[in-house]
Amino acid sequence: MDNLTAARSTMAFSLGFHIIFAAIGMVMPFLMCAAHYLHLKGRAGPYLELTKMWMRGVAILFAVGAVSGTVLSFELGLLWPEFMEHAGPIIGMPFSWEGTAFFVEAVMIGLFLYGWDRMKPWVHWGTGLGVGISGFLSGIFVVAANSWMNSPAGFDWVDGKAENVDPVAAMFNDAWLHQSIHMQVAAVQAVGFAVGGVHAFLYLRGRARELNLKAMKIAMLFGAAAAIVQPMVGHFSGEQVAKLQPAKLAAIEGLFETQTYAPLTLGGIPDEETRTMDWGIEIPGALSILAHLDPSAEVIGLDQYPEEDWPPVLIVHVAFQVMVGLGMLMALLGLLYFWFLKKRSFPRWFLWALAGSTPLGMLAIEAGWVVTEVGRQPWIIYEVLRTSEGVTPVPGMVWHFLLFLVLYLGLAGVTVWLFGRQIRVTQRQVEEGSP
């Protein structure tokens, strides 16, 4: 494994690990607040127990997310010093705002954890809501920094250096809006399905049935709504990618030749040597509609770029297909959820389907980040600085990759054990009627 591959692998694994906990950290506080709200409104049911169970989970996952996020910030300087030399002054503002949001989130979670019976009930509830809002803002600021890498703005590139830096224009670049919306909706969708699926499974196993049924309903209200909205958000993102990164869109669809009435391909395996798409099902004109709202519009293909500037077409295409496929499946389950909620009855087969869908949203997030990051290659700053030019010249990066791999796998194991323990303790207390 060469230095560049090791550095990219380290960053990819770290980001792939952190994004799961970041998504949970953004959304779980809102689920917690929903349960707490129902308790304060006097609704019948074990909403207080549910609030405290989710509160402990938020605390655990906040700690893990803080650790993995901090490691990522160090890795930027450790692995990509050339990138940070140029990008640091430009995208410092969203990172500083993210740090501020993280500080507020930490304060709010402390107030919520230790504010029971020490604060007025609705003030205490407000601190929990503050955890969610600050966490959500933190995610938006980080995505804004990443979107700048896909659509660099706010500077002039002169003789290999950035001049006339405008940090506001850099932060609010052309890609920040669609990337932020897409990621935040995906987080709500993924966490809603993950939490709903876990509680559906526990309900089917006969554990604390009332608590788990109500928990599943709260989580799926968020997850199902986000899953139904996400295809429209995805369409908006597709239009923006077509405008800002046409090479990425071409790789996503395996479109090797520029053409009008460009087809949208379902499935398929792109062959870069023959420049063909094998085994796919083409929908004529659908890609032109997705990109330009016109079936006859021309869509730029990979033939407009030298091959050394192509993204890895196979990886990007397959990741996109996985993301869209899982997203459409969750949208269908979301529609079914609202149908059965209206009928006030959930068939066992549907609850088992929800239980089986527990990891789908997280897998879709991972696939989406592969599309975003790998689809930008070979650029670390799109069409400005190549990834190979941003990597550290210091050898031995493979040892960093192996170290972080072992540490993160261990951290993941401990986190799963702690989270499972909290769920089991709460389930047992509810079943035994303990406070």
Side-chain angles (χ1 to χ4, degrees):
M1 184 181 291
D2 61 31
N3 224 39
L4 177 60
T5 303
R8 289 184 63 191
S9 299
T10 303
M11 201 73 189
F13 184 80
S14 301
L15 176 62
F17 181 91
H18 175 68
I19 196 63
I20 298 300
F21 294 96
I24 296 172
M26 286 190 290
V27 180
M28 275 299 298
F30 290 110
L31 305 186
M32 175 187 74
C33 285
H36 194 197
Y37 175 84
L38 293 172
H39 165 69
L40 292 176
K41 295 295 288 186
R43 297 289 183 90
Y47 290 114
L48 179 60
E49 293 84 353
L50 180 57
T51 301
K52 291 187 175 182
M53 179 180 71
W54 281 346
M55 175 192 72
R56 297 183 189 104
V58 166
I60 293 169
L61 296 171
F62 173 81
V64 177
V67 170
S68 57
T70 301
V71 170
L72 271 173
S73 65
F74 283 113
E75 285 179 351
L76 285 172
L78 174 69
L79 304 175
W80 312 102
E82 293 298 321
F83 164 73
M84 290 304 295
E85 179 183 352
H86 299 297
I90 305 173
I91 57 174
M93 189 171 76
F95 280 126
S96 65
W97 286 17
E98 189 276 336
T100 302
F102 175 77
F103 173 77
V104 173
E105 184 181 7
V107 171
M108 290 295 178
I109 199 170
L111 291 172
F112 190 81
L113 284 171
Y114 300 104
W116 294 97
D117 301 324
R118 294 181 175 88
M119 305 170 69
K120 292 182 179 180
W122 285 107
V123 174
H124 182 228
W125 177 83
T127 63
L129 186 63
V131 176
I133 293 173
S134 54
F136 225 65
L137 289 174
S138 178
I140 290 174
F141 296 143
V142 170
V143 173
N146 178 266
S147 68
W148 176 86
M149 298 165 69
N150 291 313
S151 180
F155 66 98
D156 296 322
W157 193 253
V158 181
D159 297 328
K161 294 183 179 180
E163 297 183 358
N164 302 320
V165 173
D166 182 348
V168 175
M171 178 172 173
F172 297 106
N173 57 79
D174 290 338
W176 86 271
L177 181 62
H178 77 263
Q179 279 198 211
S180 296
I181 296 174
H182 193 36
M183 179 60 217
Q184 303 309 91
V185 174
V188 176
Q189 176 181 346
V191 176
F193 270 83
V195 176
V198 167
H199 285 289
F201 176 76
L202 293 171
Y203 175 83
L204 290 166
R205 293 291 299 272
R207 300 295 306 275
R209 292 175 68 89
E210 184 184 8
L211 179 141
N212 284 308
L213 181 61
K214 293 186 181 301
M216 184 270 291
K217 287 182 177 180
I218 292 173
M220 284 305 300
L221 183 65
F222 284 80
I228 294 169
V229 170
Q230 188 66 286
M232 293 177 280
V233 175
H235 174 72
F236 172 59
S237 294
E239 289 182 301
Q240 298 306 306
V241 170
K243 182 190 306 180
L244 302 173
Q245 295 178 289
K248 177 186 285 187
L249 181 67
I252 284 172
E253 288 300 325
L255 187 71
F256 293 97
E257 302 294 332
T258 300
Q259 56 187 287
T260 57
Y261 295 96
L264 185 71
T265 304
L266 303 179
I269 302 295
D271 188 328
E272 294 186 46
E273 291 187 5
T274 62
R275 299 192 176 193
T276 58
M277 177 69 75
D278 301 324
W279 313 107
I281 300 173
E282 293 187 349
I283 304 175
L287 182 58
S288 293
I289 294 174
L290 174 67
H292 304 293
L293 297 176
D294 180 358
S296 64
E298 181 180 79
V299 179
I300 295 173
L302 291 167
D303 60 327
Q304 299 297 308
Y305 299 88
E307 286 196 33
E308 60 267 23
D309 291 346
W310 288 11
V313 181
L314 177 61
I315 295 174
V316 176
H317 176 73
V318 171
F320 182 78
Q321 296 290 313
V322 170
M323 179 186 70
V324 172
L326 294 177
M328 295 307 294
L329 177 57
M330 286 186 286
L332 175 60
L333 289 172
L335 290 170
L336 288 173
Y337 169 77
F338 284 117
W339 171 259
F340 291 127
L341 180 66
K342 183 179 180 181
K343 294 172 68 71
R344 298 186 178 182
S345 176
F346 295 97
R348 286 183 65 83
W349 68 264
F350 177 71
L351 294 176
W352 278 115
L354 287 185
S357 71
T358 299
L360 298 187
M362 298 303 177
L363 293 174
I365 285 180
E366 297 286 8
W369 275 100
V370 169
V371 173
T372 298
E373 300 301 291
V374 179
R376 188 181 60 248
Q377 300 306 313
W379 307 99
I380 193 169
I381 306 174
Y382 189 61
E383 295 186 336
V384 173
L385 184 70
R386 290 180 178 270
T387 306
S388 58
E389 297 169 340
V391 72
T392 177
V394 178
M397 290 301 106
V398 66
W399 297 110
H400 291 288
F401 171 64
L402 295 174
L403 174 63
F404 285 124
L405 181 65
V406 171
L407 288 176
Y408 276 160
L409 289 176
L411 184 60
V414 172
T415 303
V416 171
W417 177 79
L418 284 173
F419 205 62
R421 181 177 179 275
Q422 290 299 326
I423 292 175
R424 290 192 298 272
V425 168
T426 302
Q427 305 283 323
R428 185 167 59 250
Q429 289 177 342
V430 172
E431 290 171 345
E432 295 174 354
S434 302

